[in-house]
Amino acid sequence: MYDGRHAAAGIGRLLWPLIGPLLAALVLLPVVAVLAGLVYALLALLGALGVEPPRVDVPTIPLPDVSAPGWLRWLGDAVSDVLDVLGPIARVLVVGGAVVYGIHRTWSARRTRREAEALGRTELVRRLGVALAATEERARAAGATTVGDAGAREA
């Protein structure tokens, strides 16, 4: 359950950037459509009343020619090439690390279980010894000299 919960959380962290904008668009698009309809209705009402809304000409601003210097483009291409090579290698390393970690956890859980079982057996033998010692004490107090005699006297 612990690993499943963390796997689900990881999948959620992976998918939320993809699903989140879609959900936001599904909520915002109807709101924008309603607002656009209200503006269109208001403009139609003003047109029916003979009121001409003011027209605003949006100025055209020439965009500056922005380009990266050659050395920066070269550096970006070099980093891109390195990441193209290291990406698959990193993926294999991460998967391999996850497998090794899982094997380590499995071995650790088995070792812990074996230690607990050994401790339980030791405790069981100790309690059995205490119980046998107490039974022997009672049998000697009752005057028994053999095991068969102790069983007959207790019954």
Side-chain angles (χ1 to χ4, degrees):
M1 290 295 277
Y2 180 78
D3 289 341
R5 181 175 63 93
H6 285 286
I11 290 171
R13 282 192 302 273
L14 177 71
L15 292 180
W16 182 249
L18 302 173
I19 296 173
L22 178 66
L23 291 176
L26 288 175
V27 169
L28 291 177
L29 282 178
V31 171
V32 170
V34 167
L35 290 176
L38 288 175
V39 168
Y40 181 75
L42 180 65
L43 288 176
L45 177 66
L46 289 176
L49 294 176
V51 177
E52 182 70 29
R55 298 218 178 258
V56 178
D57 291 330
V58 179
T60 57
I61 301 172
L63 296 176
D65 182 23
V66 178
S67 61
W71 65 269
L72 188 58
R73 280 183 292 200
W74 175 85
L75 183 63
D77 291 341
V79 169
S80 175
D81 292 341
V82 169
L83 291 179
D84 286 344
V85 172
L86 291 182
I89 293 172
R91 187 176 306 124
V92 169
L93 288 177
V94 167
V95 169
V99 168
V100 169
Y101 179 69
I103 291 170
H104 170 71
R105 281 186 54 163
T106 302
W107 286 350
S108 176
R110 286 180 183 166
R111 184 176 55 248
T112 303
R113 188 185 70 237
R114 280 192 216 114
E115 289 171 358
E117 288 172 352
L119 182 63
R121 282 191 296 272
T122 304
E123 181 65 17
L124 181 64
V125 168
R126 185 190 71 78
R127 288 184 182 190
L128 182 60
V130 169
L132 286 175
T135 303
E136 184 182 6
E137 281 282 325
R138 283 196 309 269
R140 286 182 194 256
T145 56
T146 64
V147 174
D149 190 21
R153 289 188 186 227
E154 293 218 1

